Amino acid sequence: MLKIITINVNGIRSAARKGFFDWLQKQNADVICLQELKAQEADLQHPLFCPEGYHAHFHYAEKKGYSGVGIYSRHQPKKIVTGLGFETADQEGRYVAIDLGNLWVASLYMPSGTSGEERQTVKFDFLDRYTTHLKKLKQSGHDYIICGDWNIAHQAIDLKNWRSNQKNSGFLPEERAWMDQLFGELDFVDAFRAINQEPDQYTWWSNRGRAWEKNVGWRIDYQITTPGLKKMVKSASIYKEERFSDHAPLIMEYDTKI
């Protein structure tokens, strides 16, 4: 079995203080994808940030204390790719991918548009450019698992208050249509939904009110695969026993080996 965990840590040093790395060492995961590091290379020199038995690969944002993604892998990758070849992805540290031989695993942090129209425009541009990249991935013939915070809830089942959020970033008609295209025309697979169609399965909760306590959340963190891996998905869980971030770890297992 191949075990992959993805989590937006909302600051890797903050998550560390909340016990994330103690928990991680007990998980026996093959690959761990992180988003929103909010750190630079100089901040991650402590051995804690390179867990024993793992190879660490990061893509940092140019702006300090902002964005950034990473991957821990038990296996030394054959190749590492950082960035997507356009400004928002590359300067803001939003993509790193590793070639593990028979498959690629990527950590993606999609821009949010919640701060206003300007960033929503950036997000739409990112979606357009990323579509081109996804088409190339599909044409490559390689198997991919793209983990991360996609900052979009696909369907009404994927957020508690869907009716009141239809005009809000993360659940806009245009964003949902893009996800429709991703899982339709582009033929990628929402691996979680391949085996779990239950409601109330969320990975992010607002810090406002008592959202976590009441489970008023959104499912915006995904493991998205190329179609050949759909039948390999064996288990999916969202870990909520401890809280390391405003997001929860999404843990999945695949019936394949590296």
Side-chain angles (χ1 to χ4, degrees):
M1 286 291 202
L2 174 68
K3 185 176 183 179
I4 299 181
I5 298 173
T6 186
I7 177 176
N8 177 319
V9 290
N10 193 20
I12 191 170
R13 290 168 290 181
S14 172
R17 291 191 294 270
K18 295 172 182 173
F20 173 68
F21 286 96
D22 294 331
W23 172 81
L24 193 62
Q25 288 285 19
K26 303 171 187 174
Q27 300 312 303
N28 196 31
D30 296 286
V31 182
I32 304 101
C33 294
L34 310 176
Q35 301 86 44
E36 204 168 2
L37 301 175
K38 294 184 177 179
Q40 304 297 124
E41 184 174 6
D43 301 319
L44 302 185
Q45 297 309 302
H46 193 282
L48 178 68
F49 299 114
C50 190
E52 185 177 354
Y54 289 95
H55 303 276
H57 309 283
F58 299 109
H59 183 209
Y60 305 101
E62 293 180 4
K63 179 181 175 182
K64 290 185 177 181
Y66 180 72
S67 192
V69 293
I71 299 181
Y72 295 128
S73 172
R74 285 200 182 279
H75 300 268
Q76 178 68 54
K78 297 181 181 297
K79 187 177 180 181
I80 304 154
V81 173
T82 55
L84 290 166
F86 57 92
E87 188 174 296
T88 305
D90 297 356
Q91 293 184 2
E92 296 184 2
R94 294 192 175 274
Y95 187 85
V96 59
I98 58 173
D99 178 2
L100 294 173
N102 63 329
L103 75 120
W104 284 76
V105 179
S107 184
L108 169 76
Y109 182 30
M110 189 78 75
S112 170
T114 56
S115 65
E117 189 174 332
E118 182 180 343
R119 286 302 292 182
Q120 186 63 46
T121 300
V122 169
K123 185 177 183 180
F124 283 141
D125 179 69
F126 191 106
L127 293 176
D128 287 343
R129 294 176 185 272
Y130 193 45
T131 300
T132 301
H133 177 78
L134 290 169
K135 288 177 179 177
K136 290 178 182 177
L137 295 192
K138 188 179 175 185
Q139 291 167 359
S140 74
H142 298 299
D143 282 327
Y144 270 81
I145 302 174
I146 307 166
C147 300
D149 177 357
W150 292 62
N151 263 313
I152 302 171
H154 180 211
Q155 297 177 327
I157 194 176
D158 296 317
L159 71 168
K160 177 67 80 174
N161 294 327
W162 68 269
R163 287 182 179 85
S164 60
N165 278 294
Q166 293 177 84
K167 294 183 179 180
N168 291 335
S169 180
F171 200 58
L172 295 173
E174 299 94 330
E175 294 171 327
R176 298 173 62 201
W178 187 85
M179 296 293 271
D180 288 340
Q181 179 190 22
L182 177 65
F183 301 133
E185 177 189 338
L186 295 180
D187 205 26
F188 282 82
V189 176
D190 180 348
F192 181 87
R193 284 294 182 215
I195 59 169
N196 185 327
Q197 291 84 42
E198 296 299 314
D200 303 321
Q201 306 293 300
Y202 308 129
T203 61
W204 174 81
W205 299 262
S206 169
N207 288 319
R208 297 175 183 173
R210 294 157 59 198
W212 168 265
E213 181 184 338
K214 296 179 178 179
N215 197 28
V216 179
W218 297 53
R219 190 177 72 93
I220 56 176
D221 301 271
Y222 298 80
Q223 295 192 25
I224 291 175
T225 77
T226 43
L229 291 172
K230 183 176 182 178
K231 62 182 181 296
M232 308 287 191
V233 182
K234 294 302 175 184
S235 72
S237 62
I238 298 167
Y239 180 75
K240 295 176 63 181
E241 301 305 311
E242 300 169 81
R243 203 170 185 201
F244 312 116
S245 164
D246 52 350
H247 295 249
L250 171 60
I251 306 167
M252 301 199 63
E253 290 183 315
Y254 302 82
D255 188 10
T256 186
K257 294 181 180 179
I258 297 172

